[in-house]
Amino acid sequence: MTRWGKIMVLFTGATLVAGCSSTVAGGSPPKPARASQAAVAKAPTAVAETPPGLRALPRSGVGPATYAYTCGIEAAGGTAGACGHWRLLSRDGGQWYLPEALGDYETDGQGGDTAPLAISPDGLRIAYFQASDGQLVVRELASGAITPMRYAFTWDIAQEVRAPSLDFLGKGAWLVISNLTLEDEEEESEVLARVATGQTREDGPGVIDVDDTGPRVTTEVATDAGVGLQTTGGPLRHITATQLHDPRTLSGFIAQDGVAFVLAARNIAACGNDISPDKLVTVDVRTGKNLSVVTPKLPGDVTQGWGIGWLSPREVLVGVTRRRPDDTTVSDTFAIDIMTGAARQTGRFDEARIRVRDTGLVPGGDVVVGGYLGTTPYRAAREKVVPVKQGGCE
C-alpha cells in the first residue's frame, strides 16, 4: 500500500489513530531480518499486460522519477481489464510501464493484491518486488544497476498476510518495509533495509526515521495518552497540540534529522468527509516539544492532505486532494513553510492528461510521489478555487 493509500485507511477505518502500535520499538537491539522459506516456495503470480501507447521502462538512461501509479479500478470490487503493471513518470516527461516490477498479483488461487513500489526523494532510484520471483530490489534508474534487499516476503494470501508497503526514509539511504506479520508472532514488524548494501534488520512497528549509520531509530507509538515519539534508548515523548481543531487526528509523523512533522486533519472519519488539513505540527523528537503549530495556507478546494517528506529544514512537502467545480478531483503537491504556513504548489498528478497516453488508466489507482528534491519550479495554472463547505461532528 502506498503512503497515499495509507492516509486513506487512516480516515476511513474505525480506529482513531491508524498506522501505529501500542508497542514500543526503542531500547532493545534490532533482530536480523529472517528469510521465510515459504516465500521461496510460494512466489506470487504476476498479472501481465501490455498497455497500449506505453513503452516498457528502458534498462538504463532514465531520468529522475516523480510519480508512479497503477491503472485503477473500473467499479467497486473489480480490477480494470488488463491492468497488471506499475507505470512511472519522470521529471523530463517520460512515461513507461514496468514489466520487471510486481504490480497486480495472485497467489495459489486464493486471491491477490497489488505489490508496492517506492521512489526515492531524489527520484534517482525505485524499490519494488520483482515480478519474476518476488525478490525485493532497489534499482538505479540512470545506470540500471539492481541491488537485492536481503529479505524475503511471504506472499501467502491464504495465511492472511497483507501486502507490505515500501517507503524510503529521510533522504533515501534507508528503505522501510511495513505491514509485516512474523511467522511465529502475532504482532506486526517492520524491516529496515540499507539501500546501498541490501542489508536488512527487523524492528518494531511505527518506524518513521533512522539516522545515517542506522543504530538509532525514531518510532511513532499510539498509547492511551495519545500519540508519542521515541528514539532508541530514549523516553517516550507524548505529543500534544492544543491548537488543533480535533486533537485525535494527530498521527502519521514524518521525521528527519531530529525533527518531525504531521499534517493533521480537521476531524476523524466518524465526522463524515470533513478531513481537510487543519494544522501543520512540527516537534523536536528528542524533547517531544512543539516547534511550531501553523495553519497551512492551502487552497480552499482542498478536501484532504497528508505528509510526504522534508524539502529543507524550513519546508515540508505534502500531498492534497482538490475538488473541482465539476465534482471531479485532482492530486497536487505543495511545499509548506513550517513557521508561517505559506504554501506553494510544486506538482500535479493529472489523470486526465496522463490518460491521453495511457488509455488503460481509470480513476481509483494508487499513486506514489518521489523525486521532489532538486525539482525545477512548478508553474501552476491559474484556476478558479471553489471553497469547500466544511462539515463536522454534530
Side-chain angles (χ1 to χ4, degrees), residues 11 26 34 40 44 54 95 100 102 134 153 160 195-196 202 241 247 271 312 317 333 346 354 366:
F11 293 115
R34 295 168 291 177
V40 178
L54 294 184
Q95 185 172 347
E100 299 89 352
L102 187 64
F153 176 68
E160 298 183 354
V195 170
E202 286 176 1
C271 303
S312 70
L317 186 74
T333 55
T346 62
I354 293 171
D366 288 333

Side-chain angles (χ1 to χ4, degrees), residues 18 25 42 73 123 192 312:
K42 297 182 179 181
I73 303 297
L192 291 175
S312 70

Side-chain angles (χ1 to χ4, degrees), residues 53-288:
L54 294 184
R55 294 187 300 119
L57 183 72
R59 292 184 178 274
S60 62
V62 179
T66 53
Y67 291 94
Y69 65 97
T70 57
C71 62
I73 303 297
E74 285 185 328
T79 302
C83 180
H85 296 305
W86 279 95
R87 283 90 154 121
L88 192 73
L89 302 178
S90 62
R91 194 179 302 164
D92 57 10
Q95 185 172 347
W96 300 276
Y97 74 100
L98 281 64
E100 299 89 352
L102 187 64
D104 291 350
Y105 67 89
E106 299 175 350
T107 305
D108 288 351
Q110 300 291 331
D113 207 331
T114 301
L117 180 143
I119 304 172
S120 63
D122 56 16
L124 301 180
R125 60 194 62 84
I126 57 176
Y128 57 85
F129 291 91
Q130 293 184 143
S132 58
D133 57 8
Q135 170 68 54
L136 175 60
V137 299
V138 171
R139 174 174 174 169
E140 303 288 334
L141 292 173
S143 68
I146 292 177
T147 303
M149 301 295 104
R150 301 174 191 176
Y151 178 81
F153 176 68
T154 304
W155 300 92
D156 194 348
I157 301 298
Q159 297 298 319
E160 298 183 354
V161 176
R162 294 169 293 166
S165 63
L166 298 176
D167 288 296
F168 283 94
L169 292 179
K171 299 179 178 67
W174 292 84
L175 185 71
V176 60
I177 308 108
S178 307
N179 293 346
L180 303 173
T181 302
L182 303 184
E183 294 175 44
D184 55 351
E185 300 177 26
E186 293 184 357
E187 70 179 40
E188 291 183 356
S189 176
E190 293 187 346
V191 170
L192 291 175
R194 189 187 292 272
V195 170
T197 64
Q199 292 178 313
T200 59
R201 72 186 212 194
E202 286 176 1
D203 257 291
V207 176
I208 60 173
D209 192 33
V210 57
D211 65 12
D212 289 339
T213 56
R216 291 173 58 86
V217 299
T218 300
T219 55
E220 182 183 85
V221 183
T223 70
D224 292 339
V227 175
L229 302 181
Q230 185 177 38
T231 55
T232 302
L236 178 62
R237 306 288 188 181
H238 295 288
I239 308 304
T240 60
T242 57
Q243 300 96 320
L244 287 179
H245 181 87
D246 188 337
R248 294 172 295 176
T249 63
L250 190 64
S251 66
F253 280 94
I254 298 173
Q256 184 173 300
D257 298 333
V259 181
F261 85 94
V262 65
L263 188 63
R266 185 168 297 275
N267 282 305
I268 60 174
C271 303
N273 61 359
D274 184 9
I275 54 176
S276 55
D278 186 14
K279 291 291 188 296
L280 180 74
V281 181
T282 57
V283 299
D284 185 330
V285 300
R286 301 174 184 87
T287 64

